[in-house]
Amino acid sequence: MNELEFNIRLYLTGTMKSWTDRIDSTDQLTPQRFIFNAMTELFDSLSDDDLELVRLKYVERMTLSEVASRYLLNEHTVRNHTNLAIKQVKEIINYYRTTKKLIAIKLWAFRLYGLQKGRYQSEDC
């Protein structure tokens, strides 16, 4: 299971919400809360039918062919209806990764600056 499937399964099974609430009960925008909020907004915007197609594919782990035959749809139709949501989940994860790296770089720079500033102050004394 890749990271994309893992995050979708966590969200659609309700596990992501319980983990996010356990990690942060203050409703501050932690990385976990950011991903949860973005995925909530995304999945709330889907139609019930599209949400069901995503759920069958990623939670029930049905193939496109199995989902298509269950609803008497063409595989291409199922792919079209699920791909937009999947693309947006990828963007959420990539945005989080980019933001996380930027935050880490800023923290590192801040700590480095603070150490240098402290060292200079101690030398001046």
Side-chain angles (χ1 to χ4, degrees), residues 50 53-54 57 64 78-87:
D50 287 350
L53 295 177
V54 171
K57 183 164 178 3
L64 286 175
V78 174
R79 185 179 296 114
N80 285 345
H81 283 265
T82 58
N83 274 355
L84 181 59
I86 301 318
K87 181 181 175 187

Side-chain angles (χ1 to χ4, degrees), residues 37-77:
N37 290 348
M39 289 183 71
T40 298
E41 188 175 324
L42 167 64
F43 286 116
D44 284 353
S45 72
L46 296 178
S47 70
D48 291 342
D49 292 338
D50 287 350
L51 185 59
E52 178 66 7
L53 295 177
V54 171
R55 190 188 69 71
L56 290 173
K57 183 164 178 3
Y58 289 96
V59 177
E60 302 298 326
R61 302 189 74 135
M62 294 174 74
T63 65
L64 286 175
S65 177
E66 291 170 332
V67 174
S69 66
R70 181 180 224 176
Y71 287 100
L72 304 174
L73 297 170
N74 186 309
E75 281 184 46
H76 188 72
T77 303

